Amino acid sequence: MPVGLIALALGGFGIGLTEFVIMGLLPEVAADFRVSEAEAGWFISGYALAVVVGALALTAAVTRFERKPVLAVLLVLFAAGNLISATAPDYWMMMAGRVVAALSHGAFFGIGAVVAAGMVPPTKKAGAIAIMFTGLTAANVLGVPFGTMLGQAAGWRSTFWAIAGIGVLALAGILALVPRTTDDGRASRAAGDPSAADAPSVPGARSGSGALASELRAFRSGQVWLSILVTILGYGGMFGAFTYIAFTLTEVSGFAPGAVPWLLIVFGVGLFIGNAAGGKAADRNVDRTLLVVLSVLVVVLVAFALTAGNQPLTITSLVLMGGFGFATVPGLQMRVMKYAEGAPTLASGANIGAFNVGNALGAWLGGVTITAGLGYTSPIWAGAGITLLGLAVMAFAAAGAKRTDGLRRRGTAPQSGAVSAATRPADVKPAVTR
């Protein structure tokens, strides 16, 4: 395993901790700034919206630059945002800190996924992306509970000071361990990883080749758009069920409120296992993996909604929901990069934004069902419906890709310059020379 992946995972850990730890500290933050819990909730919503903006605008702005220094600058921005939060004298300065930190989120994961994939052979790309996202899952399993305990024991600001410190450590790791790219797009052996020079070139990694116009051409592919839509629906369904899980666990399953943090750790263990297994499976066959995982996730969500009143089955459902929900992440990220070959950076960043759009969609729809008086299992049913729709889109996308592959094997497919944008497979080179 290239050691640079550890630095990327550490950055992902810090960013994931910034996103999620605020949920456990909202009462303390609200009390300190003398605002309602609903107003404090905008520290979560504002962060998510800023992630989408950063994933698109900031990624687009830096596509022409070499990726390693861009990742370093993004971590500086991340650390600065958390320092602002840690020292914020009022509500709006705290919000500014959240937004500054969030702007780096989408661009870091989007660009980092491309860098991670370029550090390993083609057969291990999804696994490399999964390693980077391990930082995000570890943030849920370990970071959020301990970050919450630190904030409750030493004041909520101490948690953000600690997160800023993690950002500095990740910055040092990026500078020391992540390889630069040479003129032919390969990772440089001199950059800190002796095996890096043997890795295949990253599409679009050549210095200066990631110009915005070239990156935008990736969005001519219908498969890129279908992949982004699957991300919104497939991941949004799981997150919609998860957003209101505390209410489900206490009001339906009958757990004591004090048990909720430990149950969330159980959910996080599922995330960790699903991320690793999903990455390995996607390396073998991305589309088949996504079809199977999304199908099982629908079944898991339906079973959870039906058995939420049973505590042992609820614990099992939490593990399976986290596992199959996050098993989609490496494959979803890999698929959009696959069909944006030659210019994957902006498409990768857009897909990170799509995860957050899915978060917002699932949370909104779950809230609508609760407001309508449908009960605290209704967000799980809503999540199952959204995921089922994502599965249908994925089946349509996979069928289109398979049909084009079949035509190419028979020698009847159009030449690469005329291949339908909706179904162009990754190994057909774009018509535009770069």
Side-chain angles (χ1 to χ4, degrees):
M1 177 182 71
V3 291
L5 293 176
I6 299 175
L8 292 172
L10 182 59
F13 176 82
I15 291 174
L17 187 55
T18 299
E19 180 176 17
F20 295 114
V21 77
I22 187 70
M23 297 176 185
L25 297 174
L26 273 186
E28 289 79 8
V29 174
D32 195 5
F33 291 132
R34 295 183 175 84
V35 296
S36 68
E37 290 190 3
E39 290 175 301
W42 277 102
F43 292 138
I44 299 171
S45 301
Y47 185 97
L49 293 174
V51 169
V52 178
V53 173
L56 296 173
L58 196 55
T59 304
V62 300
T63 51
R64 67 182 183 275
F65 299 111
E66 207 276 331
R67 289 175 181 135
K68 177 177 178 175
V70 167
L71 289 173
V73 171
L74 290 173
L75 284 174
V76 170
L77 186 67
F78 163 76
N82 281 285
L83 286 175
I84 293 172
S85 294
T87 59
D90 55 39
Y91 177 89
W92 290 110
M93 188 59 71
M94 175 70 175
M95 182 66 75
R98 295 289 290 167
V99 169
V100 169
L103 288 174
S104 67
H105 181 130
F108 180 86
F109 279 111
I111 296 171
V114 177
V115 172
M119 294 167 66
V120 297
T123 56
K124 297 183 178 180
K125 288 181 181 295
I129 294 172
I131 290 174
M132 186 188 73
F133 276 95
T134 297
L136 187 60
T137 60
N140 281 277
V141 177
L142 299 174
V144 170
F146 285 104
T148 300
M149 285 189 283
L150 174 63
Q152 291 173 343
W156 65 266
R157 295 178 187 274
S158 65
T159 299
F160 287 93
W161 279 107
I163 296 173
I166 292 172
V168 173
L169 289 176
L171 172 62
I174 294 290
L175 294 175
L177 303 176
V178 171
R180 301 181 73 95
T181 51
T182 61
D183 288 340
D184 65 353
R186 295 180 183 273
S188 170
R189 183 182 299 271
D193 187 350
S195 64
D198 297 324
S201 61
V202 183
R206 189 175 303 170
S207 179
S209 67
L212 180 58
S214 297
E215 292 285 340
L216 289 172
R217 292 190 186 101
F219 292 95
R220 293 179 180 178
S221 169
Q223 285 288 354
V224 168
W225 287 106
L226 288 171
S227 300
I228 289 174
L229 184 57
V230 174
T231 295
I232 293 172
L233 298 173
Y235 191 75
M238 186 274 287
F239 197 86
F242 174 69
T243 300
Y244 302 95
I245 197 66
F247 294 102
T248 306
L249 294 175
T250 56
E251 302 299 325
V252 180
S253 304
F255 288 102
V260 172
W262 300 105
L263 291 169
L264 294 182
I265 292 177
V266 170
F267 174 79
V269 170
L271 295 182
F272 188 88
I273 296 172
N275 177 61
K280 291 181 179 179
D283 272 327
R284 292 191 291 270
N285 189 304
V286 173
D287 284 4
R288 183 170 62 228
T289 296
L290 290 174
L291 287 170
V292 171
V293 170
L294 288 171
S295 298
V296 177
L297 181 58
V298 172
V299 174
V300 168
L301 290 172
V302 170
F304 188 11
L306 292 173
T307 63
N310 183 296
Q311 291 187 351
L313 291 179
T314 292
I315 294 173
T316 302
S317 295
L318 282 174
V319 176
L320 294 176
M321 184 175 76
F324 285 98
F326 219 83
T328 62
V329 172
L332 289 169
Q333 194 66 17
M334 187 62 203
R335 194 176 199 277
V336 77
M337 290 165 56
K338 171 183 176 181
Y339 287 98
E341 185 178 5
T345 306
L346 185 56
S348 179
N351 203 50
I352 297 298
F355 281 111
N356 283 270
V357 172
N359 293 352
L361 172 65
W364 171 78
L365 189 57
V368 167
T369 61
I370 291 175
T371 302
L374 300 179
Y376 290 119
T377 59
S378 60
I380 305 176
W381 285 109
I386 297 173
T387 304
L388 182 61
L389 185 57
L391 174 61
V393 175
M394 184 63 231
F396 175 79
K402 185 177 181 179
R403 183 167 55 251
T404 299
D405 287 342
L407 290 173
R408 291 183 67 252
R409 284 194 296 269
R410 292 194 298 268
T412 58
Q415 297 298 315
S416 61
V419 171
S420 166
T423 57
R424 184 175 67 205
D427 58 348
V428 176
K429 302 300 181 184
V432 179
T433 58
R434 304 186 57 211

